[in-house]
Amino acid sequence: MNPRLCLLPQQPFLFVRRVINHNSAIFLSVSAEQRVCLVALGYSKSDFFPRFADLMWNPKTHESIAGNVSSRPAVVNIGAIFSFDSTVGRVAKIAIEEAVKDVNSNSSVLHGTKLLVKMQNSNCSGFVGMVGALEFMQTDTVAVIGPQSSVVAHVISHVANELQVPLLSFAATDPTLSSLQFPFFVRTTQSDFYQMTAIAEIVDYYAWREVIVIFLDDDFGRYGLAALDDSLAARRCKVSYKVGIPPGPGISRADIMDILVKVALMEPRVIVLHAYPAAGFMVFSVAHYLGMMADGYVWIATDWLSSVLDTSSPLPSETMDTIQGVLVLRQHTPDSERKRAFSSRWNKLTGGSLGLNAYALYAYDTVWLIAHAIDSFFEQGGIISFSNDSKLRSAEGGNLHLEAMSIFDGGMLLLKNILQSDFVGLTGHIKFSPDRSLILPAYDVINVIGTGFRRLGYWSNYSGLSIMPPETLYSRPSNRSRSNQKLYSVIWPGETVKKPRGWVFPNNGKQLKIGVPNRVSYREFVSQVQGTNFFKGFCIDVFTAAVNLLPYAVPYQFISYGDGHKNPSYTDLVNLIATGGFDGVVGDIAIVTNRTKIVDFTQPYAASGLVVLAPFRKLNTGAWAFLRPFSAPMWGVTAAFFLVIGVVVWVLEHRINDEFRGPPMKQLMTILWFSLSTLFFAHRENTVSTLGRVVLIMWLFVVLIINSSYTANLTSILTVQQLYSPIKGIETLKESNEPIGYQVGSYAEHYLEEIGIAKSRLIALGSPEEYATAIQRGPKKGGVAAVVDELPYVELFLSSQCKFRIVGQEFTKSGWGFAFPRDSPLAVDLSTAILTLSENGDLQRIHDKWLIRSACSSDNTEIESDRLHLKSFAGLFLLCGTACFIALFIYFLQIMHKFRHAAPPESVSDGPGSSHSRRLKTLFSLMDEKEDPSKRETNKRRKMERSYSEDSKDSELRRNPNS
């Protein structure tokens, strides 16, 4: 060996570094190649340090060493480990080699330093990959590209953490590798976290709720499944069944057949396949053989399939036949001039035998990422040096030679530069987010058709599903609304464009267990046929008719719930769905808030709400029936206003109208007669003053309204039978302390407690007969004041009980529906069927069949209509009163004006009492005296003459302006 080889420019620098840091222990820390060089120079372990010290301080050698420390090394060692023969490895090997050529030929990147990439073939073996990575750690490698496998990455990441050598993987997509546990692992491709989020959004977009996942049972598959499970749960979807494929070459078609037979018996028909190509194509082949690639199925494959399609397309026809209609995700790389140029160069390199996939582009960019990071490392004064790991000294002398592995002293700085990288590569903008993931993750959504595939759209973490490339949306505000999520139409398995329902009833011989309440009362709605397991009634017929409209068969059996002695608790019945006791509940189930929190209901098939059922008595017309249209306050205020209007008009007309003058008794009779005669518009007295006429017009308008209303109401009272009940509605019951009845098992009890009615006031009643008995007894005899129940029950009760009526309005709005587990697709399909029944009239016919009964003879009667109360006419009275007040106010202003001019001068001898007395007498005399009509005529004439004189002067001035 040439001794000069031991003094390459970079080697003295390494030796000096080790001597300074570890003194005489340096001989143990050098690499195997350097150790051979030192032995060749005559150095041994015992005398290594003194001789090396002399070598160090030799003036000529020292100059050489000092000069080389300040310069960049000629070569930087980079490792790369992946499977050369895999779909990803074949293209990655070429891409890495081309990237190294491009970097080394570009002097502006590393400024003369060359990248030396040594590749290790892991042969798709986790163990071989781990050994290869450990070998790199013994050869002064500053970074490792890879590993390709997530399993190997988990193991090697621990070594990278210890030796501070960054791992840059372009293919390990396990989301957990980005955790804080592995700070030296850097993923230069997209994490499966985003791929699983994209799949979850596709599932939600097509309104599917359950999926089956077939996954490779290793770190890659398990952690990908966990990410998918979380993403689906965030969208109220779920993985209903998951089955793992054993990793490795030992899997057989028989094993896959066993897995898929179980899957075929499941209810969901949306299947996600997350595996490696070999196992994935075997699954599709067996699925095609079993008829699971036919109409009704949905298959979604992760990006393993798109990598094969991009690399090896076209695939053999028998392979393509097994994947027709499959949805596939592919990592999105924006189109660019550099990418098109590289693609053209790639075709020349491979001769068209090997396609370019996204992993090749990420592998290419990974080499450039390392080059830029190393360049920044050197610019920041970084020095490539290694030091012994004290934790490995205990392994010294062993066969594994672990002591040969050393810590990269600049590892932290290089890692920092890697994570701070910011440049544009073939895959787009290369930059890392705070969680060490590439920014702007995006995927293409493709559909396998014929001999190739068609792109349906894109998914990005920024804007969700879109038919526009994500890079065109980054400049716009993010819009993740459901209306903005779009994909092109899909050709599904079975060559259909109709969206699969995503589920079927499992073909495993099991029937749905449908709970039915075993009612004691109101058996017209639902009841069990005596001595059988059959049920009948309105609710049963509606359910049967809706099921018959479904485009598929629904195997089910009715199971009775209740002891048959009293109505069961409907809330407990619904709870059994959530606990798995029933697959659904059919009956008169009210849709209320606390139930919707645990189950899903169909569209309501019957309107329902709480009403008050109360007793009534008939009201005879009697001799005083004419007083009933108005309430007592209304009568009082009306009479008062008649008097007030008479007084106001008398005040306004007294001084100027002879008809309102005369002796006091005559004037009093005039006031009464005038006001009362306005009721019939028969008043004979004319009003002269303007104010009096305004007041009279307002009052006549009020009288017109009152008269019309009174006539209409009295007509109703005399022609329609009137019923009376002291209870007007739920508010009356809340204000009283009387007991209230409710039906056993109804939600009315819970509702009444919620609105503040004490539980001690509530009395459970089990049948219509108990209703009638309790109401007739009344509160004083141990009965109830009223019954609160749902409208359909009350209507059926009143069809045969004519002594009771609904009082007030329906104070809750609800409906009856069929209950199923949360996110049940059957609830959605039955809702559509119920709407169809409603539209075609079948629902009404079923209602008439069970619930129409002969009506009471007094059905044309009605509970006493509200009297006309004062508040109904408050506005009219307010207007009239305001007019009276304004007229009186103006009148008194005029009187006071005359009073000031007519008041006599006060005498000094008069006392203050006599003075006030005279002033009051003068005021009253002014109000009582009649105004002389001649004075009014004279005043009018004077005003006219004055106006004429002023007009003459103005005319003269215009003719002779100089006068």
Side-chain angles (χ1 to χ4, degrees):
M1 177 177 292
N2 188 351
R4 293 176 180 268
L5 292 177
C6 297
L7 297 178
L8 291 175
Q10 72 273 20
Q11 289 174 333
F13 156 70
L14 296 176
F15 292 167
V16 172
R17 180 75 176 182
R18 291 189 174 97
V19 169
I20 294 173
N21 288 342
H22 299 284
N23 208 349
S24 61
I26 183 173
F27 190 81
L28 299 178
S29 68
V30 298
S31 67
E33 182 181 356
Q34 292 168 335
R35 190 179 304 170
V36 172
C37 291
L38 292 172
V39 172
L41 289 173
Y43 293 100
S44 64
K45 179 178 178 181
S46 58
D47 62 358
F48 172 73
F49 178 71
R51 293 191 181 185
F52 189 77
D54 293 341
L55 181 63
M56 279 178 54
W57 294 109
N58 182 282
K60 294 183 180 180
T61 307
H62 180 67
E63 287 180 7
S64 173
I65 293 175
N68 286 316
V69 167
S70 62
S71 62
R72 295 184 181 220
V75 176
V76 175
N77 293 325
I78 304 296
I81 182 166
F82 51 90
S83 299
F84 292 173
D85 296 329
S86 66
T87 300
V88 173
R90 288 198 301 272
V91 295
K93 186 174 186 295
I94 300 174
I96 291 174
E97 290 172 349
E98 293 304 306
V100 171
K101 292 179 183 177
D102 293 344
V103 169
N104 289 337
S105 62
N106 191 335
S107 59
S108 64
V109 181
L110 289 175
H111 305 286
T113 300
K114 303 295 183 182
L115 285 184
L116 178 60
V117 178
K118 298 179 181 179
M119 299 185 188
Q120 290 272 8
N121 185 2
S122 64
N123 292 319
C124 297
S125 168
F127 176 75
V128 174
M130 179 180 63
V131 172
L134 290 175
E135 291 180 0
F136 281 136
M137 302 303 176
Q138 300 179 15
T139 57
D140 297 344
T141 300
V142 299
V144 175
I145 300 174
Q148 175 183 336
S149 166
S150 296
V151 176
V152 178
H154 273 278
V155 177
I156 303 303
S157 292
H158 291 286
V159 180
N161 289 349
E162 183 67 26
L163 303 181
Q164 299 185 10
V165 176
L167 297 179
L168 293 90
S169 177
F170 58 88
T173 55
D174 173 12
T176 61
L177 289 169
S178 297
S179 65
L180 299 177
Q181 182 184 7
F182 306 118
F184 279 85
F185 178 86
V186 180
R187 192 194 325 273
T188 58
T189 186
Q190 299 298 342
S191 167
D192 275 344
F193 170 81
Y194 298 109
Q195 181 170 210
M196 298 308 171
T197 301
I199 292 176
E201 291 201 15
I202 291 174
V203 171
D204 184 52
Y205 173 77
Y206 289 110
W208 301 316
R209 286 292 170 261
E210 296 184 16
V211 302
I212 294 174
V213 179
I214 302 175
F215 65 100
L216 197 67
D217 197 5
D218 61 3
D219 291 343
F220 161 75
R222 282 193 301 272
Y223 294 126
L225 167 63
L228 177 60
D229 206 356
D230 292 342
S231 296
L232 287 171
R235 293 158 180 82
R236 291 191 62 186
C237 306
K238 66 177 181 179
V239 176
S240 61
Y241 182 69
K242 49 193 173 186
V243 55
I245 301 174
I251 187 70
S252 65
R253 283 184 65 90
D255 297 329
I256 299 297
M257 182 111 27
D258 292 339
I259 291 173
L260 292 184
V261 167
K262 293 179 181 178
V263 170
L265 296 177
M266 299 291 172
E267 179 179 305
R269 283 293 181 262
V270 182
I271 304 171
V272 177
L273 181 57
H274 185 48
Y276 293 145
F281 282 116
M282 187 181 296
V283 169
F284 280 128
S285 175
V286 175
H288 185 265
Y289 173 78
L290 295 175
M292 297 176 65
M293 301 301 296
D295 185 15
Y297 281 90
V298 177
W299 286 85
I300 303 176
T302 51
D303 61 355
W304 66 266
L305 181 54
S306 60
S307 298
V308 177
L309 292 173
D310 287 336
T311 304
S312 305
S313 185
L315 296 175
S317 59
E318 57 271 15
T319 302
M320 291 300 298
D321 290 342
T322 64
I323 59 175
Q324 291 298 303
V326 176
L327 294 183
V328 189
L329 291 182
R330 176 176 63 187
Q331 298 192 50
H332 175 72
T333 54
D335 189 28
S336 65
E337 186 63 33
R338 288 187 59 194
K339 179 181 174 182
R340 288 192 293 270
F342 186 79
S343 178
S344 175
R345 174 182 169 188
W346 181 274
N347 291 331
K348 294 178 181 179
L349 287 171
T350 62
S353 61
L354 202 61
L356 179 65
N357 63 34
Y359 287 107
L361 300 176
Y362 280 113
Y364 182 91
D365 283 347
T366 300
V367 175
W368 277 91
L369 174 63
I370 294 175
H372 285 295
I374 291 176
D375 185 55
S376 299
F377 174 83
F378 288 137
E379 289 180 354
Q380 295 170 8
I383 298 175
I384 296 180
S385 62
F386 296 81
S387 57
N388 284 346
D389 188 351
S390 58
K391 298 178 183 178
L392 297 178
R393 288 184 180 180
S394 59
E396 181 179 353
N399 293 331
L400 294 178
H401 300 290
L402 296 178
E403 70 279 4
M405 293 188 294
S406 54
I407 297 174
F408 176 33
D409 299 320
M412 288 297 297
L413 180 59
L414 180 59
L415 175 65
K416 177 183 176 183
N417 288 326
I418 290 173
L419 296 178
Q420 291 179 347
S421 298
D422 189 356
F423 68 97
V424 177
L426 296 182
T427 58
H429 192 185
I430 305 297
K431 187 178 180 180
F432 292 93
S433 62
D435 63 350
R436 294 185 292 124
S437 299
L438 288 176
I439 64 171
L440 305 177
Y443 286 85
D444 297 340
V445 183
I446 61 178
N447 182 204
V448 179
I449 304 172
T451 59
F453 54 84
R454 181 173 69 100
R455 184 162 52 204
L456 305 177
Y458 309 87
W459 176 89
S460 70
N461 196 43
Y462 182 78
S463 56
L465 298 172
S466 172
I467 57 176
M468 299 178 63
E471 53 270 17
T472 64
L473 301 175
Y474 293 143
S475 59
R476 307 178 187 178
S478 177
N479 186 354
R480 300 297 295 266
S481 64
R482 192 171 188 84
S483 61
N484 199 52
Q485 306 299 295
K486 295 179 182 178
L487 289 175
Y488 289 117
S489 59
V490 183
I491 297 179
W492 303 99
E495 298 182 356
T496 178
V497 294
K498 181 181 178 181
K499 188 201 80 171
R501 193 168 61 248
W503 69 279
V504 295
F505 281 100
N507 188 21
N508 53 12
K510 293 183 179 180
Q511 293 181 319
L512 294 179
K513 295 181 293 182
I514 304 297
V516 181
N518 187 6
R519 292 193 59 88
V520 177
S521 60
Y522 298 111
R523 296 173 63 83
E524 293 85 352
F525 293 105
V526 58
S527 62
Q528 186 172 7
V529 179
Q530 191 70 25
T532 68
N533 292 326
F534 296 103
F535 289 82
K536 64 179 182 178
F538 169 67
C539 303
I540 300 300
D541 282 5
V542 172
F543 177 76
T544 304
V547 169
N548 291 336
L549 290 177
L550 298 179
Y552 48 86
V554 180
Y556 64 89
Q557 60 175 336
F558 289 136
I559 300 176
S560 177
Y561 178 78
D563 57 11
H565 300 294
K566 63 178 182 179
N567 294 335
S569 169
Y570 281 32
T571 299
D572 294 342
L573 176 58
V574 170
N575 286 336
L576 286 175
I577 298 177
T579 58
F582 290 126
D583 298 317
V585 169
V586 170
D588 45 342
I589 312 297
I591 304 173
V592 294
T593 303
N594 61 333
R595 296 173 185 172
T596 58
K597 294 178 181 178
I598 57 174
V599 298
D600 280 352
F601 282 92
T602 63
Q603 174 80 13
Y605 61 87
S608 175
L610 294 179
V611 294
V612 177
L613 179 68
F616 70 93
R617 62 182 175 86
K618 296 180 180 180
L619 291 177
N620 297 321
T621 55
W624 302 98
F626 67 90
L627 294 176
R628 284 170 52 192
F630 288 164
S631 62
M634 179 64 183
W635 279 117
V637 172
T638 303
F641 257 83
F642 272 106
L643 296 177
V644 169
I645 293 300
V647 173
V648 171
V649 173
W650 176 82
V651 171
L652 297 175
E653 297 290 325
H654 175 66
R655 298 182 64 251
I656 60 177
N657 194 337
D658 290 336
E659 294 180 355
F660 288 88
R661 298 188 64 82
M665 183 56 66
K666 178 187 177 183
Q667 295 186 47
L668 177 61
M669 294 305 296
T670 300
I671 291 173
L672 294 175
W673 168 254
F674 177 81
S675 59
L676 293 176
S677 62
T678 56
L679 177 62
F680 309 102
F681 305 97
H683 51 286
R684 295 177 300 174
E685 295 78 9
N686 294 320
T687 53
V688 177
S689 67
T690 303
L691 295 176
R693 289 174 178 176
V694 170
V695 170
L696 184 60
I697 289 173
M698 294 296 297
W699 173 243
L700 291 178
F701 176 73
V702 173
V703 169
L704 175 64
I705 301 300
I706 293 176
N707 198 1
S708 301
S709 303
Y710 174 85
T711 303
N713 205 15
L714 181 61
T715 302
S716 175
I717 290 173
L718 296 177
T719 58
V720 180
Q721 175 63 57
Q722 299 295 303
L723 307 178
Y724 170 76
S725 173
I727 298 172
K728 305 302 180 185
I730 188 64
E731 294 300 326
T732 306
L733 296 178
K734 289 173 63 177
E735 294 169 358
S736 68
N737 291 319
E738 296 177 336
I740 305 170
Y742 69 92
Q743 184 182 174
V744 174
S746 171
Y747 76 96
E749 178 186 12
H750 177 69
Y751 178 83
L752 293 174
E753 291 179 5
E754 280 190 343
I755 64 175
I757 296 177
K759 187 177 180 63
S760 58
R761 294 177 55 195
L762 304 179
I763 297 177
L765 303 173
S767 66
E769 293 75 18
E770 292 184 19
Y771 281 21
T773 303
I775 296 175
Q776 286 176 342
R777 286 179 179 177
K780 295 181 180 180
K781 296 182 180 180
V784 296
V787 170
V788 175
D789 204 355
E790 296 175 59
L791 182 61
Y793 301 125
V794 174
E795 288 179 340
L796 188 60
F797 174 81
L798 292 177
S799 66
S800 59
Q801 297 286 343
C802 301
K803 298 179 181 180
F804 312 97
R805 283 294 180 271
I806 296 174
V807 296
Q809 300 295 321
E810 184 178 359
F811 54 91
T812 66
K813 296 294 184 182
S814 182
W816 288 352
F818 306 130
F820 293 93
R822 295 297 297 271
D823 303 320
S824 170
L826 184 57
V828 178
D829 291 349
L830 279 177
S831 295
T832 304
I834 290 171
L835 289 175
T836 303
L837 290 175
S838 177
E839 292 170 358
N840 62 23
D842 288 345
L843 189 60
Q844 184 61 44
R845 283 188 283 272
I846 297 173
H847 176 275
D848 296 343
K849 170 186 174 182
W850 288 98
L851 304 180
I852 293 297
R853 296 289 184 270
S854 58
C856 295
S857 60
S858 58
D859 272 354
N860 59 343
T861 63
E862 61 182 34
I863 294 294
E864 177 194 13
S865 58
D866 288 339
R867 290 181 172 184
L868 297 177
H869 293 276
L870 175 61
K871 63 181 180 181
S872 302
F873 300 90
L876 291 174
F877 286 125
L878 179 61
L879 289 174
C880 190
T882 303
C884 292
F885 175 77
I886 294 174
L888 288 175
F889 181 72
I890 295 174
Y891 173 77
F892 281 113
L893 287 179
Q894 295 173 349
I895 293 296
M896 293 305 296
H897 177 71
K898 294 180 178 181
F899 173 71
R900 284 199 303 270
H901 291 285
E906 296 184 5
S907 177
V908 179
S909 60
D910 294 337
S914 60
S915 173
H916 290 306
S917 176
R918 283 197 308 272
R919 292 171 65 87
L920 286 175
K921 289 180 180 179
T922 304
L923 176 62
F924 288 134
S925 64
L926 285 173
M927 294 175 62
D928 185 58
E929 72 177 6
K930 181 180 180 182
E931 185 175 345
D932 188 359
S934 61
K935 290 185 177 180
R936 283 188 290 159
E937 294 296 332
T938 302
N939 291 336
K940 288 182 180 179
R941 189 163 49 252
R942 288 177 179 175
K943 288 181 180 179
M944 293 178 62
E945 291 175 352
R946 188 182 303 113
S947 176
Y948 177 76
S949 176
E950 291 177 354
D951 291 342
S952 298
K953 290 180 180 179
D954 292 340
S955 177
E956 180 66 23
L957 182 61
R958 284 195 295 268
R959 287 195 303 267
N960 189 8
N962 296 324
S963 60

